[in-house]
Amino acid sequence: MLIAGSIGFIGQMGLHQLHLAVEQQAISWLSQGNSQETDFLKKQTNIGSVGLLKQSNEIIFRVAPEPKQTPPRLLREATYNRYNSSLWLALNPNFVRVQPKINGTTWDLGDQLPNPSTITISATLPGNQGVLKLPDGTFKIDALPVSQMEKNKYGTIKVVGKVDMLAYRSYFNNNFSVDSPPTEDDLQIPKSEMAALNKILSQVDTQGKSQPEILDKIEWFFIKNFVYSLKLRGKDNDATPLSTFLLNTRSGHCEYFATAATLLLRKLGIPARYAVGYSVHEFSSLENQYIVRSRHAHAWTLAYIAGKWQAFDATPSDWESMEDAAAPPGAFISDLWSLLSYKILLGLRYLSGSNGLKYGGVILLVLIFFWRCNPNFKKNVRLLSKKQSWLKAIYNKDSLSPKSEFYLIEQALNESGLIRPPSESFKNWIERLKKEKPELYCLEELALLIEIHYCARFDPKGIQDAQKAEFKLAIQSWIEQYRRQAIASNSPVNKSGKSTIAFLK
């Protein structure tokens, strides 16, 4: 009873998790803003939307830092520099090819730097292409078996390769950046947002402050006066969605805070860009590494200070704990399934390597040796072989067989180039030939012969011996008429347009 009760409880929890997974997947399909496939050219935000921003609890990748180290908090996917009506764009990204080292799996994005930090990121590559998730300052990527890599001036790295599972290592140093220096585009502000930005800056004490001090002031202003929320409140009719957030609701998710901070810094003369990626903060004791879920997707600001781009996150820091607290109960079941799938993919990836093939060959040799030494094993193999042959015969029951004389007709038609595919029934085949070869009047006589063939071939009672003899004569007669027609079709009389139907009758 305890076992039955436990199985019932686990089954109930599993069905509940399945329901949640289907619901979350539907939300992901219907919401463009929550798509896991990052577009490196544009980012449509949920700024100005109405409703509840619900994200999936699905684990999408894993992060393993070096022992006794913590990974960087933010992993970036893409960066944008032009904002227009809830849409961020990457103007003129200028992608360039990156050439791998001679081993084909090591990629240098810049010069080697001393004392680098290292993390391993395990993720899938949907559609055999995508954007890598990397910490800022990545100058080298190792163990990445892709066929092509490109980088743009905003630090976005896209790859192409026929591989299902990636487990690449990132070497990074805060003194390095693949991002291009700022331009005038990194100071552009939409005119529609000017009034709200000026009003906010009038409430922030930035006069005479250094750039790092300005960042502290803006961060504190958001912490003191704004709250994090996944509830989408829309916008006023007389204001933009961002202006409504800054002046009225003062409540929103990371896209609001990152966009507002980026434009506020630009208004103060500090070049800034909009970045998207993921927050790495959940450690799994089950896997002994960090896991990153779909709901950990995040947006922040890149500010150009002291001659380099620095991450500036204006979203209140309690957003992570708020979302973790809202995780569905019993999520451990889906986490176990995700871990199992992850281990299977790792195993397949291992077997596809040289070592996997080597050990696979050893296993094959052991099985052959066992087969040679164990007579029962041989007997079972022979029985299985006979069973497979029997199943194959049943599966190919419409292949040429002496059990029905009708197959002689099929053979005669095949000799004329009128081939029947294995998946096509005799009835459908003849109907098709009637349309494709209307000059073959003898095809009209096959309908009754097909019915008799089916009766003889598949009816358990079959047909009587006398009927079999008549059926055999009818088959031979039809074949003779068909061959006569084939000869007549090449004669001058037939080519002149006269039909052979009278002769066939």
Side-chain angles (χ1 to χ4, degrees), residues 312-324:
F312 173 57
D313 190 0
T315 305
S317 57
D318 59 350
W319 77 270
E320 296 172 348
S321 58
M322 291 176 61
E323 289 203 356
D324 291 341

Side-chain angles (χ1 to χ4, degrees), residues 192-260:
S192 57
E193 311 294 351
M194 280 292 189
L197 295 175
N198 288 330
K199 192 169 183 178
I200 290 297
L201 289 178
S202 67
Q203 305 173 32
V204 183
D205 181 18
T206 59
Q207 293 293 331
K209 300 295 189 296
S210 65
Q211 290 182 341
E213 291 175 335
I214 289 175
L215 265 62
D216 292 338
K217 290 292 183 179
I218 292 178
E219 182 180 9
W220 175 247
F221 178 79
F222 280 122
I223 293 175
K224 185 178 179 180
N225 301 283
F226 290 74
V227 295
Y228 179 81
S229 175
L230 293 177
K231 186 175 182 180
L232 306 175
R233 305 176 185 275
K235 67 182 185 66
D236 297 335
N237 293 330
D238 299 328
T240 65
L242 187 63
S243 299
T244 302
F245 163 74
L246 289 172
L247 303 179
N248 297 330
T249 62
R250 295 201 167 185
S251 173
H253 56 279
C254 60
E255 292 176 335
Y256 280 100
F257 288 97
T259 300

Side-chain angles (χ1 to χ4, degrees), residues 155-343:
T156 302
I157 308 295
K158 65 177 183 177
V159 295
V160 177
K162 294 183 178 181
V163 56
D164 295 328
M165 182 69 189
L166 297 177
Y168 55 94
R169 288 188 297 272
S170 167
Y171 298 79
F172 58 99
N173 188 302
N174 292 332
N175 295 323
F176 175 78
S177 176
V178 295
D179 301 46
S180 64
T183 64
E184 294 182 357
D185 292 326
D186 300 312
L187 293 171
Q188 293 296 319
I189 301 174
K191 294 181 179 180
S192 57
E193 311 294 351
M194 280 292 189
L197 295 175
N198 288 330
K199 192 169 183 178
I200 290 297
L201 289 178
S202 67
Q203 305 173 32
V204 183
D205 181 18
T206 59
Q207 293 293 331
K209 300 295 189 296
S210 65
Q211 290 182 341
E213 291 175 335
I214 289 175
L215 265 62
D216 292 338
K217 290 292 183 179
I218 292 178
E219 182 180 9
W220 175 247
F221 178 79
F222 280 122
I223 293 175
K224 185 178 179 180
N225 301 283
F226 290 74
V227 295
Y228 179 81
S229 175
L230 293 177
K231 186 175 182 180
L232 306 175
R233 305 176 185 275
K235 67 182 185 66
D236 297 335
N237 293 330
D238 299 328
T240 65
L242 187 63
S243 299
T244 302
F245 163 74
L246 289 172
L247 303 179
N248 297 330
T249 62
R250 295 201 167 185
S251 173
H253 56 279
C254 60
E255 292 176 335
Y256 280 100
F257 288 97
T259 300
T262 301
L263 298 184
L264 284 171
L265 292 179
R266 290 182 176 184
K267 190 70 177 63
L268 294 170
I270 301 177
R273 293 171 179 171
Y274 179 88
V276 297
Y278 292 88
S279 169
V280 182
H281 62 271
E282 182 179 349
F283 182 80
S284 171
S285 56
L286 178 66
E287 302 189 20
N288 197 31
Q289 62 183 341
Y290 288 83
I291 56 176
V292 182
R293 306 179 187 273
S294 175
R295 58 182 173 82
H296 294 160
H298 195 46
W300 62 94
T301 300
L302 292 179
Y304 195 74
I305 296 177
K308 65 178 182 179
W309 292 100
Q310 302 181 26
F312 173 57
D313 190 0
T315 305
S317 57
D318 59 350
W319 77 270
E320 296 172 348
S321 58
M322 291 176 61
E323 289 203 356
D324 291 341
F332 68 92
I333 296 179
S334 58
D335 289 352
L336 284 175
W337 174 253
S338 177
L339 176 60
L340 177 61
S341 303
Y342 167 66
K343 292 297 185 181

Side-chain angles (χ1 to χ4, degrees), residues 28 34 39 124 132 234 240 250 276 321 368 417 427 433 449 462 489 495:
S28 177
N34 294 335
D39 189 337
T124 58
L132 294 183
T240 65
R250 295 201 167 185
V276 297
S321 58
I368 293 175
K427 284 187 177 181
L433 292 181
L449 295 179
S489 63
K495 291 181 180 179

